[in-house]
Amino acid sequence: MAYTVQQIKTMIIKELQETLGTTPDKASDAQFYKATVPVVKEILEEKRRHFMSQSRSQGKKQVYYLCMEFLLGRSLKNSLSNLCMVESFQQALGELDVKLDNLYEYEPDAGLGNGGLGRLAACYMDALATDGYPAMGYSILYEYGIFKQQIIDGWQNELPDYWLPGGEVWLTPMPEHAVEVRFGGQVSESWDHNYHNVEYKGYSSVMAVPYDICISGYNTKAVSRLRLWKAKSTGFNMELFNKGEYSSVLGEGMMGEAISKVLYPNDNHREGKALRLRQQYFLTAASIADIVRRHIETYGTLDNLPEKNAIHLNDTHPTLAIPELMRILLDECGYSWEHAYHIVSATFAYTNHTVMPEALEVWNIDLFRSLLPRIYQIICEMNARLCAELYDAHHLQSEQVARMAILTDRDIRMANLAVAVCHSVNGVSKLHSEILKDEVFHDFYTLTPQKFGNVTNGIASRRWLHQSNPGLSSLCAELLGENYLNDMDSLRGLQKYRDDSSVLERLAAIKRQNKQSLSDYLVRHGGAALNVDSIFDVQVKRMHEYKRQHLNALRILSLYQYLKANPNADFTPRTFIFGAKAAPGYFLAKQIIKLICTMRDMIERDESVRDKLRIVYLEDYRVTLSEILMPASEVSEQISLAGTEASGTSNMKFMLSGAITLGTMDGANVEIYDEVGADNIVIFGMTTAEVSALRQKGYSAHEIYGKNATLRAAVDMLKNGINGEQFMDIYNSLVFKDPYMVFADFDSYLEASKKTASLYTDTRRWQQMSLQNTACSGIFCADRSIREYARNIWKLDEPSAR
Ligand SMILES: *Cc1c(COP(=O)(O)O)cnc(C)c1O
């Protein structure tokens, strides 16, 4: 299946002529992009067919990864790089006078996700293929992805992200596998001897049509497939039409198609709306039907479903897959409850992604029952049996049963449903998995400790190193051998250059070049040039109080005041770079964006500090921007309140590029600390134990505010005005509530920040720290995470050799 340059060239020309109606001499770069993608797609699809027929003939267990979000970013460079075909395409296009690098810019980010959760799912599709496992991801084909962010006058403005014009070239429609999904209506039951009949009437239905994207692994035979469902109206309600109700006919169709219209833009926050519930059932019902069909086609029975398939629930969003599979086994295949439950439990595994109560999903019973009456009955039965077992077999007290129940008198608790049924429950970092066992799911843990485990998140390291940071990647290849990309643990080999001045100097030069490239990029996009001798101190992630961008802002205000009071102080210039989208309905998060932008403007006007402090707020932070940013970063801000960030993955991307983490002992920061050692990371703030102790004792932000003059001076600027603007909502929230204990960690953060700057002035020392961070980042490669899922949770067969 090797393709020569000549073949690739011929395929591209054919595509230009037959699909785009043009010729190489007339085609624009945009047309070349649209002609090149189908060629890559064809290569991937052929490879996938080959791999799947092999794995099917070997009867291999399949992995199905269900997630409401896949934040893919761009695919062209990633696909070619993973296929090891960059040079061939460069040459083929070069012979047609086209630069491959220019084509990349025509691809929009596929932003079918909010942040870390969706990006994780995308990284895992890549790693599943790289590790050689047969896998399929399922999600929704949102017509509009995560909104495009504009900053106007410091305020966030949201624009729709209509990504399909440049993105749909990647999609292969599979109309022959469309599935009907049903909503509303009534259920009636009857008993026919021992056979339970369920009749479902008066429902409305919508078709789920699959569109597939192939995702290549690195240097492997395997290709993963992501199947995205698009909602299509079932056509025409003839009955209404004949009554002359034309607008209802159209309205019904539009209601159905609205399901896949737009991604909900909330990160770590639930949205209890009917449309969101429809989306969740739409994804799960279509995916389960597809999985069942594929399995039956091969094996002709569902008895062995768990032996041949692992279905993974990435967070609680797709948990309805559990009662949906029960429904199929009970109502359509006639299994007994016990047998069906056994199959379901052995098939599903669940990953939890948050412990924050406002993010744990619950559905109002009345809404749920009217939309999904049969699924509601099944959940009631599951709840009744669970509670009976807890009372009768485990002799639990009623408060404990009430905590563990799936139903309350008002709500359905999706996390309890997932934990009660799945055979495996895991968190996404060591710390987070401990919190699940000790707190959130403690009752379940006591009963079934064997269910609980941990798989620390990972990233598609090659995307952020080899593809985004070519300078560092070629140094690694030179020092470690060309094969280092096959096994990211081999980065460890860099450690032996710790005292090699020439390597350290080359590392410094690469970082400087990357900083210059970022600056050039910003200039090309209408910004000002950056001072590449300043420290690039970066916090990019969703805007959220728990992530504490406002703690960072208060630190900068404090530095500002210090520089005003000490104009001649010895001070290493800093560039503070922020990038974050706020959920459109999240008032305080939007205020924090405005605050940071206002601080930026204040500093910009002030000649006495603007050469020492600089704030840059990057508009529309997204995967592609992170790829430009990570290689240029020097300080990685990971400053969430301990116990709130489940893992974090940007911390891993930064580390890989040699940035030093300035962070709390939260999420995967703890494991980064364990890997690099205390001398190569700057840790500050309370531990989770200290946070709990302070909560117990009673936390008063106001008291700290009263005692700490430095803090008070910075906080008072919010009230007294920055550039003439007050920020009373942030001020009041911090001084009178401070739910994420910003004030409690303020002093320690300031101290750690000072320490970071002083380490930076020792250039050699800093380069050694940086080298150590890259060298120790192999464990955070998603390939390792997927191997752990495969062995410990999905129990997959050994992968085929590369
Ligand atoms: C990696 C990534 C994230 C996750 O960042 P965290 O700091 O771990 O929350 C969010 N958004 C994008 C675009 C990313 O690439």
Side-chain angles (χ1 to χ4, degrees):
M1 282 197 296
Y3 292 82
T4 64
V5 171
Q6 198 50 47
Q7 280 170 316
I8 292 167
K9 195 168 135 189
T10 310
M11 288 163 88
I12 293 173
I13 293 171
K14 183 159 176 266
E15 204 51 53
L16 279 174
Q17 289 169 337
E18 291 178 8
T19 315
L20 295 154
T22 184
T23 51
D25 53 317
K26 295 207 196 77
S28 64
D29 276 0
Q31 289 173 315
F32 266 104
Y33 162 74
K34 288 199 170 171
T36 304
V37 171
V39 174
V40 179
K41 216 173 81 171
E42 197 178 316
I43 294 171
L44 286 169
E45 279 170 359
E46 191 196 323
K47 212 172 150 178
R48 165 90 185 174
R49 273 192 299 274
H50 199 263
F51 170 67
M52 287 309 289
S53 79
Q54 194 181 7
S55 84
R56 235 190 318 269
S57 71
Q58 293 165 345
K60 293 238 159 136
K61 189 168 180 178
Q62 306 280 312
V63 187
Y64 295 105
Y65 198 83
L66 271 58
C67 187
M68 288 287 282
E69 306 186 7
F70 279 81
L71 191 55
L72 296 172
R74 288 179 174 167
S75 293
L76 181 53
K77 192 189 214 174
N78 183 62
S79 303
L80 291 178
S81 175
N82 277 353
L83 288 166
C84 304
M85 293 180 84
V86 174
E87 280 83 17
S88 323
F89 272 73
Q90 243 160 14
Q91 218 177 316
L93 287 160
E95 290 177 16
L96 299 168
D97 281 331
V98 173
K99 276 209 168 78
L100 175 60
D101 280 344
N102 294 345
L103 302 193
Y104 295 146
E105 299 307 314
Y106 289 88
E107 182 172 2
D109 270 41
L112 310 184
N114 275 285
L117 172 94
R119 185 55 232 175
L120 183 82
C123 288
Y124 281 179
M125 296 313 291
D126 177 311
L128 276 158
T130 301
D131 286 338
Y133 296 114
M136 197 138 137
Y138 283 106
S139 194
I140 293 175
L141 180 59
Y142 301 107
E143 202 172 315
Y144 295 88
I146 186 67
F147 62 85
K148 293 225 166 294
Q149 180 193 52
Q150 270 183 335
I151 307 284
I152 298 175
D153 231 4
W155 295 105
Q156 169 175 294
N157 184 35
E158 300 95 22
L159 297 175
D161 168 41
Y162 189 57
W163 67 288
L164 288 169
E168 74 186 339
V169 273
W170 286 101
L171 301 170
T172 305
M174 302 292 240
E176 67 275 25
H177 294 314
V179 173
E180 182 187 25
V181 180
R182 302 176 296 179
F183 295 97
Q186 307 83 37
V187 177
S188 57
E189 297 170 84
S190 59
W191 284 94
D192 169 8
H193 301 286
N194 276 331
Y195 197 81
H196 186 209
N197 282 312
V198 176
E199 205 183 340
Y200 187 22
K201 284 186 296 212
Y203 55 81
S204 57
S205 59
V206 58
M207 294 308 288
V209 184
Y211 287 74
D212 290 358
I213 299 185
C214 281
I215 300 172
S216 169
Y218 177 71
N219 191 20
T220 166
K221 286 184 185 149
V223 173
S224 299
R225 174 151 61 175
L226 175 57
R227 178 155 284 182
L228 301 172
W229 298 102
K230 179 182 164 87
K232 197 162 176 299
S233 104
T234 37
F236 216 64
N237 186 330
M238 208 59 198
E239 208 177 322
L240 282 177
F241 184 77
N242 289 337
K243 284 192 210 152
E245 296 178 29
Y246 307 124
S247 65
S248 314
V249 173
L250 295 176
E252 218 177 58
M254 264 147 59
M255 276 299 286
E257 295 190 357
I259 291 176
S260 59
K261 199 54 94 179
V262 58
L263 167 79
Y264 273 97
N266 300 330
D267 191 62
N268 276 302
H269 202 286
R270 73 178 109 93
E271 175 81 63
K273 298 264 167 57
L275 181 58
R276 172 73 175 178
L277 181 55
R278 281 177 186 267
Q279 288 186 335
Q280 293 187 354
Y281 184 64
F282 176 75
L283 164 64
T284 54
S287 307
I288 292 299
D290 201 49
I291 293 166
V292 164
R293 173 189 59 78
R294 288 163 57 88
H295 182 83
I296 297 266
E297 273 173 18
T298 312
Y299 298 99
T301 169
L302 293 178
D303 291 352
N304 64 342
L305 194 74
E307 286 92 80
K308 295 296 177 188
N309 306 275
I311 308 182
H312 204 83
L313 304 177
N314 196 34
D315 215 348
T316 47
H317 315 140
T319 299
L320 291 175
I322 291 174
E324 175 63 12
L325 182 55
M326 283 298 287
R327 186 189 68 75
I328 289 176
L329 293 167
L330 295 168
D331 298 356
E332 295 181 7
C333 304
Y335 280 86
S336 69
W337 180 279
E338 290 74 14
H339 193 179
Y341 190 87
H342 171 78
I343 291 175
V344 168
S345 175
T347 304
F348 282 103
Y350 161 62
T351 297
N352 172 281
H353 283 271
T354 178
V355 299
M356 290 197 300
E358 68 269 28
L360 286 180
E361 283 202 305
V362 292
W363 286 110
N364 175 274
I365 285 179
D366 296 326
L367 167 69
F368 195 101
R369 187 172 37 205
S370 71
L371 209 56
L372 304 169
R374 177 60 184 144
I375 298 298
Y376 177 68
Q377 288 180 334
I378 291 170
I379 291 177
C380 287
E381 183 67 22
M382 284 181 152
N383 182 60
R385 287 175 184 246
L386 170 67
C387 293
E389 187 192 327
L390 296 177
Y391 280 121
D392 303 342
H394 300 285
H395 311 291
L396 300 187
Q397 301 296 303
S398 59
E399 315 88 80
Q400 200 178 346
V401 175
R403 284 200 302 267
M404 299 174 73
I406 298 166
L407 296 179
T408 70
D409 48 10
R410 287 190 48 220
D411 293 319
I412 306 176
R413 298 190 288 209
M414 303 307 281
N416 282 13
L417 170 56
V419 175
V421 180
C422 291
H423 66 86
S424 165
V425 177
N426 74 283
V428 289
S429 70
K430 279 183 190 159
L431 176 68
H432 170 61
S433 295
E434 288 307 309
I435 295 173
L436 292 183
K437 292 191 285 187
D438 294 348
E439 291 166 32
V440 190
F441 301 131
H442 182 71
D443 297 310
F444 286 103
Y445 174 66
T446 330
L447 245 52
T448 51
Q450 72 284 358
K451 267 193 193 185
F452 286 79
N454 171 59
V455 181
T456 299
N457 281 170
I459 58 170
S461 308
R462 287 161 293 264
R463 177 182 282 262
W464 276 276
L465 179 55
H466 182 61
Q467 294 163 41
S468 312
N469 197 344
L472 184 56
S473 182
S474 52
L475 180 61
C476 291
E478 184 187 320
L479 300 176
L480 306 169
E482 292 290 338
N483 284 333
Y484 91 96
L485 289 168
N486 287 318
D487 172 13
M488 298 310 286
D489 285 327
S490 63
L491 285 171
R492 219 172 275 268
L494 291 173
Q495 279 176 323
K496 70 168 183 268
Y497 300 97
R498 219 196 111 78
D499 295 310
D500 183 327
S501 303
S502 90
V503 167
L504 294 175
E505 278 159 27
R506 285 173 70 191
L507 270 180
I510 290 163
K511 183 62 80 180
R512 196 184 164 80
Q513 180 56 53
N514 292 337
K515 288 165 78 177
Q516 187 61 53
S517 303
L518 173 63
S519 174
D520 296 346
Y521 171 88
L522 296 177
V523 170
R524 281 203 301 281
H525 290 79
L530 305 179
N531 171 9
V532 296
D533 293 317
S534 65
I535 308 176
F536 281 20
D537 180 311
V538 185
Q539 187 173 20
V540 286
K541 45 185 76 253
R542 286 298 289 251
M543 181 62 65
H544 208 296
E545 285 165 273
Y546 87 81
K547 293 179 183 278
R548 300 201 295 191
Q549 282 94 348
H550 46 354
L551 173 58
N552 192 345
L554 286 178
R555 171 200 42 170
I556 299 170
L557 285 175
S558 198
L559 283 177
Y560 173 80
Q561 294 181 318
Y562 170 80
L563 287 173
K564 292 299 277 181
N566 303 278
N568 299 318
D570 185 24
F571 189 83
T572 311
R574 327 265 174 95
T575 301
F576 296 105
I577 301 175
F578 290 87
K581 291 177 184 174
Y586 190 167
F587 177 79
L588 212 63
K590 289 183 145 179
Q591 296 280 319
I592 296 171
I593 295 177
K594 174 67 177 170
L595 166 65
I596 293 167
C597 293
T598 309
M599 288 166 53
R600 171 196 64 197
D601 297 344
M602 169 185 74
I603 292 169
E604 215 62 52
R605 285 187 188 181
D606 191 331
E607 279 177 44
S608 67
V609 288
R610 73 172 170 220
D611 292 335
K612 299 171 192 162
L613 292 187
R614 226 6 228 298
I615 295 177
V616 175
Y617 200 103
L618 297 174
E619 219 171 43
D620 202 37
Y621 179 60
R622 60 196 184 281
V623 174
T624 297
L625 196 45
S626 90
E627 292 168 8
I628 299 168
L629 196 56
M630 295 300 161
S633 298
E634 295 176 299
V635 177
S636 159
E637 297 281 344
Q638 306 298 338
I639 61 178
S640 52
L641 175 67
T644 61
E645 186 75 271
S647 162
T649 46
S650 78
N651 45 4
M652 302 167 186
K653 301 169 197 165
F654 278 109
M655 172 196 193
L656 179 63
S657 269
I660 309 307
T661 303
L662 168 53
T664 50
M665 279 299 217
D666 198 17
N669 298 352
V670 178
E671 286 149 86
I672 294 179
Y673 173 94
D674 291 340
E675 289 298 313
V676 301
D679 290 343
N680 298 294
I681 186 168
V682 183
I683 294 292
F684 73 94
M686 295 179 288
T687 61
T688 45
E690 288 164 343
V691 170
S692 311
L694 184 53
R695 281 237 169 81
Q696 284 283 301
K697 178 176 134 233
Y699 173 60
S700 164
H702 195 260
E703 195 180 311
I704 300 177
Y705 174 78
K707 285 189 200 148
N708 186 331
T710 311
L711 169 69
R712 194 166 57 247
V715 174
D716 282 349
M717 286 187 79
L718 303 175
K719 188 171 60 179
N720 298 334
I722 298 168
N723 237 2
E725 309 244 16
Q726 281 187 309
F727 293 90
M728 289 313 292
D729 297 297
I730 303 175
Y731 176 91
N732 287 323
S733 165
L734 284 172
V735 175
F736 301 108
K737 287 204 289 277
D738 194 10
Y740 299 100
M741 299 182 166
V742 167
F743 287 5
D745 277 343
F746 178 79
D747 270 351
S748 159
Y749 182 46
L750 223 55
E751 200 54 46
S753 167
K754 208 183 286 175
K755 181 178 168 195
T756 310
S758 108
L759 286 166
Y760 191 82
T761 57
D762 183 348
T763 311
R764 185 183 169 87
R765 175 74 214 286
W766 186 267
Q767 289 314 325
Q768 287 176 325
M769 292 172 69
S770 180
L771 177 91
Q772 171 74 356
N773 271 270
T774 304
C776 296
S777 61
I779 192 171
F780 301 110
C781 179
D783 302 353
R784 184 271 313 153
S785 312
I786 288 299
R787 284 194 297 270
E788 291 181 13
Y789 278 104
R791 286 197 195 124
N792 304 334
I793 296 177
W794 302 327
K795 317 279 184 201
L796 300 190
D797 313 296
E798 281 302 302
S800 349
R802 278 184 198 277

